Amino acid sequence: MISAIYPGSFDPIHIGHEDVIKRAANIVDFLYVAVLDNSNKKHFWSLEKRLQVIEEIFKDYDNIKVVTFKGLLFDYCKNNDIDFIVKGLRNSLDFQLEIDMAHGIKKLGDVETLFIPCSIECSYISSTLVRDMYSTSKNVENMVSQQVLKSIGR
Ligand code: PNS
């Protein structure tokens, strides 16, 4: 069975993340969606809320499990027998960051990173953009799913 992990802050999850998650779950047998537990960082949403909303969005997918992780992705993969790390790429800036991380992880051992280009219509969307739009009362309906809108009271 081939398993992979798709990590992120998901603060909040948006349709670009969802697109990559669904496509990755079609490629591998089992996909972990791993929410970074970083208590040092100030978040828009608590860890619990991020987990709960992602679980709600993917509740009908048998091969997707939402988990949290702390520390290095490499260690999480080794401890849980995960074969691949999946990263979504929107543009060359993402590529620059992610290729360095992929090389760093590969230096630690045998964990490959798979890149999935995001769908073109999602290429401008980020959690930062969603938070900035939301906090200034702008419409975020085209960037997040119903479960997120419900959670932010829209
Ligand atoms: O959604 P984000 O905030 O862009 O996600 C960043 C994330 C969680 C993917 C990244 O911070 C990460 O992988 N952190 C784990 C630390 C790690 O394994 N770093 C690689 C060292 S070689």
Side-chain angles (χ1 to χ4, degrees):
M1 190 178 83
I2 297 177
S3 60
I5 186 167
Y6 178 63
S9 300
F10 305 111
D11 193 29
I13 187 167
H14 55 68
I15 60 167
H17 294 129
E18 290 178 35
D19 169 55
V20 174
I21 291 169
K22 287 173 191 165
R23 287 159 62 202
N26 272 335
I27 296 169
V28 299
D29 298 307
F30 199 84
L31 182 73
Y32 294 84
V33 177
V35 185
L36 178 67
D37 178 1
N38 180 0
S39 45
N40 298 327
K41 201 171 149 190
K42 199 173 171 295
H43 287 289
F44 172 63
W45 272 359
S46 68
L47 180 64
E48 292 69 30
K49 190 159 179 179
R50 284 179 278 149
L51 282 168
Q52 179 228 309
V53 171
I54 301 169
E55 274 166 3
E56 175 68 21
I57 292 171
F58 294 104
K59 65 177 190 299
D60 295 331
Y61 288 74
D62 292 340
N63 70 334
I64 295 178
K65 183 177 180 186
V66 187
V67 296
T68 61
F69 80 104
K70 271 184 174 176
L72 289 186
L73 265 174
F74 176 82
D75 293 337
Y76 192 90
C77 290
K78 285 291 156 197
N79 293 336
N80 294 281
D81 283 329
I82 295 170
D83 305 299
F84 298 109
I85 294 168
V86 169
K87 293 292 182 85
L89 296 180
R90 287 168 298 193
N91 50 44
S92 58
L93 284 178
D94 278 352
F95 176 76
Q96 199 55 59
L97 282 171
E98 297 300 348
I99 193 76
D100 289 347
M101 202 172 293
H103 285 145
I105 289 166
K106 198 71 177 68
K107 283 269 175 217
L108 297 173
D110 193 20
V111 175
E112 300 287 353
T113 301
L114 302 180
F115 293 131
I116 296 184
C118 80
S119 297
I120 191 83
E121 59 274 17
C122 300
S123 61
Y124 71 100
I125 301 174
S126 66
S127 295
T128 306
L129 185 65
V130 173
R131 290 195 302 271
D132 287 349
M133 294 282 207
Y134 173 75
S135 63
T136 55
S137 304
K138 305 290 186 300
N139 187 359
V140 292
E141 275 176 27
N142 53 351
M143 293 191 278
V144 297
S145 62
Q146 286 303 317
Q147 290 86 342
V148 174
L149 289 174
K150 208 168 99 193
S151 287
I152 57 179
R154 288 277 171 90

mmCIF file of all heavy atoms in Angstrom, residues 99-109:
data_model
loop_
_atom_site.group_PDB
_atom_site.id
_atom_site.type_symbol
_atom_site.label_atom_id
_atom_site.label_comp_id
_atom_site.label_asym_id
_atom_site.label_seq_id
_atom_site.Cartn_x
_atom_site.Cartn_y
_atom_site.Cartn_z
ATOM 1 N N ILE A 99 11.611 23.061 -3.238
ATOM 2 C CA ILE A 99 12.719 22.232 -3.736
ATOM 3 C C ILE A 99 13.839 22.186 -2.682
ATOM 4 O O ILE A 99 14.455 21.146 -2.460
ATOM 5 C CB ILE A 99 13.235 22.719 -5.124
ATOM 6 C CG1 ILE A 99 14.141 21.680 -5.759
ATOM 7 C CG2 ILE A 99 13.952 24.042 -5.060
ATOM 8 C CD1 ILE A 99 13.439 20.502 -6.332
ATOM 9 N N ASP A 100 14.057 23.317 -1.991
ATOM 10 C CA ASP A 100 15.065 23.318 -0.927
ATOM 11 C C ASP A 100 14.654 22.364 0.191
ATOM 12 O O ASP A 100 15.478 21.611 0.722
ATOM 13 C CB ASP A 100 15.254 24.738 -0.361
ATOM 14 C CG ASP A 100 15.958 25.656 -1.345
ATOM 15 O OD1 ASP A 100 16.503 25.142 -2.333
ATOM 16 O OD2 ASP A 100 15.960 26.883 -1.120
ATOM 17 N N MET A 101 13.367 22.412 0.561
ATOM 18 C CA MET A 101 12.897 21.529 1.632
ATOM 19 C C MET A 101 12.983 20.061 1.207
ATOM 20 O O MET A 101 13.378 19.191 1.976
ATOM 21 C CB MET A 101 11.469 21.884 2.033
ATOM 22 C CG MET A 101 11.170 21.391 3.427
ATOM 23 S SD MET A 101 9.619 21.932 4.134
ATOM 24 C CE MET A 101 9.838 23.647 4.344
ATOM 25 N N ALA A 102 12.618 19.798 -0.065
ATOM 26 C CA ALA A 102 12.683 18.412 -0.564
ATOM 27 C C ALA A 102 14.114 17.894 -0.522
ATOM 28 O O ALA A 102 14.370 16.750 -0.132
ATOM 29 C CB ALA A 102 12.120 18.351 -1.986
ATOM 30 N N HIS A 103 15.060 18.753 -0.908
ATOM 31 C CA HIS A 103 16.466 18.330 -0.860
ATOM 32 C C HIS A 103 16.910 18.093 0.578
ATOM 33 O O HIS A 103 17.621 17.124 0.870
ATOM 34 C CB HIS A 103 17.367 19.391 -1.510
ATOM 35 C CG HIS A 103 17.275 19.388 -3.004
ATOM 36 N ND1 HIS A 103 17.360 20.550 -3.757
ATOM 37 C CD2 HIS A 103 17.086 18.395 -3.890
ATOM 38 C CE1 HIS A 103 17.243 20.249 -5.041
ATOM 39 N NE2 HIS A 103 17.073 18.946 -5.138
ATOM 40 N N GLY A 104 16.473 18.976 1.484
ATOM 41 C CA GLY A 104 16.826 18.827 2.905
ATOM 42 C C GLY A 104 16.297 17.520 3.462
ATOM 43 O O GLY A 104 17.004 16.806 4.188
ATOM 44 N N ILE A 105 15.048 17.199 3.114
ATOM 45 C CA ILE A 105 14.432 15.954 3.603
ATOM 46 C C ILE A 105 15.154 14.743 3.018
ATOM 47 O O ILE A 105 15.447 13.775 3.706
ATOM 48 C CB ILE A 105 12.921 15.955 3.265
ATOM 49 C CG1 ILE A 105 12.212 16.979 4.156
ATOM 50 C CG2 ILE A 105 12.319 14.560 3.425
ATOM 51 C CD1 ILE A 105 10.804 17.330 3.724
ATOM 52 N N LYS A 106 15.483 14.818 1.727
ATOM 53 C CA LYS A 106 16.157 13.686 1.068
ATOM 54 C C LYS A 106 17.529 13.426 1.694
ATOM 55 O O LYS A 106 17.996 12.292 1.740
ATOM 56 C CB LYS A 106 16.272 13.978 -0.431
ATOM 57 C CG LYS A 106 16.540 12.766 -1.279
ATOM 58 C CD LYS A 106 15.316 11.843 -1.356
ATOM 59 C CE LYS A 106 15.515 10.650 -2.248
ATOM 60 N NZ LYS A 106 16.470 9.678 -1.757
ATOM 61 N N LYS A 107 18.170 14.491 2.168
ATOM 62 C CA LYS A 107 19.472 14.333 2.840
ATOM 63 C C LYS A 107 19.347 13.496 4.103
ATOM 64 O O LYS A 107 20.305 12.845 4.540
ATOM 65 C CB LYS A 107 20.043 15.701 3.243
ATOM 66 C CG LYS A 107 20.642 16.480 2.119
ATOM 67 C CD LYS A 107 22.126 16.173 1.985
ATOM 68 C CE LYS A 107 22.688 16.885 0.769
ATOM 69 N NZ LYS A 107 23.688 16.114 0.070
ATOM 70 N N LEU A 108 18.141 13.544 4.720
ATOM 71 C CA LEU A 108 17.940 12.809 5.977
ATOM 72 C C LEU A 108 17.739 11.314 5.743
ATOM 73 O O LEU A 108 17.949 10.506 6.636
ATOM 74 C CB LEU A 108 16.732 13.374 6.739
ATOM 75 C CG LEU A 108 16.842 14.836 7.189
ATOM 76 C CD1 LEU A 108 15.511 15.314 7.777
ATOM 77 C CD2 LEU A 108 17.951 14.986 8.226
ATOM 78 N N GLY A 109 17.268 10.950 4.543
ATOM 79 C CA GLY A 109 17.020 9.538 4.258
ATOM 80 C C GLY A 109 16.067 9.356 3.096
ATOM 81 O O GLY A 109 15.842 10.274 2.314
#
